[in-house]
Amino acid sequence: MSDWPEGRSDRQGGGSRGGYGRGSANARPEGARVMPHVQRPVPQQQPQPGYDDTYEPPYDSGYNTGQVYGQPNHGQGGGGGGGDGYGPPAGRTARPAPNWRKRIKWTAITVVTVVVVTSVSTYFWADSKLHRDVDLSKVIDRPEGGDGTNYLIVGTDSREGMSDEQKKELHTGSAKGKRTDTMMILHVGGNGDTLVSLPRDSNVTIPSFKGAESGKLYPATGRQTKLNAAYAEDGPELLVRTVEANTGLRIDHYAEIGFGGFASIVDAVGGVEMNLKEGFKDKWSGADFKAGKQTLTGQQALAFVRTRHAFAASDLQRTKNQQAFLAALAHKVASPTTVMNPFKLYPTLGAGLDSLVVDKDMSLWNLASMFMAMKSVSGGDGDGKSMNMPTSGSVGGNLLWDKTKVKQLVDQFNNDEKVTVSGN
């Protein structure tokens, strides 16, 4: 007797169909009805080696998360919260990304505009301060000009605008009128700039000249005197006329500064450092210096460039000191600490321009060229050179110029050649 239930075949998977399949004589039990088929998400699989790399994961309808495809999910709580949807949170407006190219463009335009406006304003301010009081058209019988530009630079003992207290402090005395202690020719050319000091005691012949104020013609008489006497007699125009007549070199521009202005410039830049090989004293100028490095104030600087009684070489040593100090001053004025600091730059410019007297044709560009050449001749910049006018003895206490060397020097200036002449 078989233990198999009724209606079941005793062979699994045999040829006859028993059980509850189609054609079965037995009725299907109630619990065996087919349940509705539910599609479950297929887990995402990684492509296996050897299979096509174009495998794509099965499509996810979002059924399991309850999210409707294509709609943003703003999180719970509605409008105020942020979510990971496709748009900004409810109630907020998206901020556009900054346009850096446009910002950089307008920043550059603003900076350039400020620089241009400041530069133009400074130019006209400085130009208005120049005292163009010297008229070189009054100078007669002038030599022909050569290559390059020649400046006559003069330092005077003018006390104009100085109080009695300042005169005492600076040891200037109270003499009326103006005399000159410093005279230099600065040649600016393509083969190096050259600064030549003209000793105040140089022996010169006063030529014929036309009075700067009177316009009267004074004929030459062969009178010989010290160079600084020409300035004292009829001012800058006669000094230019005398230098040109005794050298054969045409002077293109003239620049003059007085005691007070010189001291003010030095103080405006915060003093000038000098390294003195030897100390010296001079009761006439008020000099009292020790050897070594020291920063000179305006008062000390004026005493330094005026001192001559303390030296055996007298005026020749003074001119060398003047050259060294002017080069140091030019370097200090042109240094970044001055140029990049408006609180130093403008007071320095103001102090210099207020006390500077120039010829009527001097422009700010000419003045800048003169200044940069002054910086180069004694400071080791470029091919600059500084020297004294060549001399060959003295007469009556006045220094005689070496005529042969002076002519050679002037020829090199006029041809804009490198200067090979040496001075004292």
Side-chain angles (χ1 to χ4, degrees), residues 72-84 87-93:
N73 179 9
H74 295 303
Q76 299 188 12
D84 57 356
R92 296 186 183 179
T93 304

Side-chain angles (χ1 to χ4, degrees), residues 135-143 207-212 215-220 237-238 240-242 244-245 250:
D135 189 357
L136 296 183
S137 66
K138 295 179 180 179
V139 181
I140 64 174
D141 301 333
R142 309 192 68 187
S208 59
F209 67 96
K210 182 184 292 186
K216 180 181 178 180
L217 181 64
Y218 295 89
E237 288 83 3
L238 178 56
V240 171
R241 168 72 175 130
T242 302
E244 289 186 342
R250 185 183 180 96

Side-chain angles (χ1 to χ4, degrees), residues 19 34 96 128 139 173 208 226 232 234 241 253 300 327 370 396:
V34 178
S128 67
V139 181
S208 59
K226 295 179 179 181
D234 202 49
R241 168 72 175 130
H253 293 291
Q300 293 172 322
M370 182 188 81

Side-chain angles (χ1 to χ4, degrees), residues 122-143:
T122 300
Y123 178 88
F124 284 106
W125 168 77
D127 190 73
S128 67
K129 281 184 166 292
L130 276 180
H131 300 282
R132 295 183 173 92
D133 299 336
V134 179
D135 189 357
L136 296 183
S137 66
K138 295 179 180 179
V139 181
I140 64 174
D141 301 333
R142 309 192 68 187

Side-chain angles (χ1 to χ4, degrees), residues 14 21 51 54 148 201 239 244 278 281 362 364 372-373 376 406 419 423:
Y51 286 86
T54 59
D201 294 337
L239 179 61
E244 289 186 342
E278 297 179 355
K281 291 183 179 183
M362 177 81 85
L364 285 179
M372 295 308 296
S376 73
V406 170
V419 172

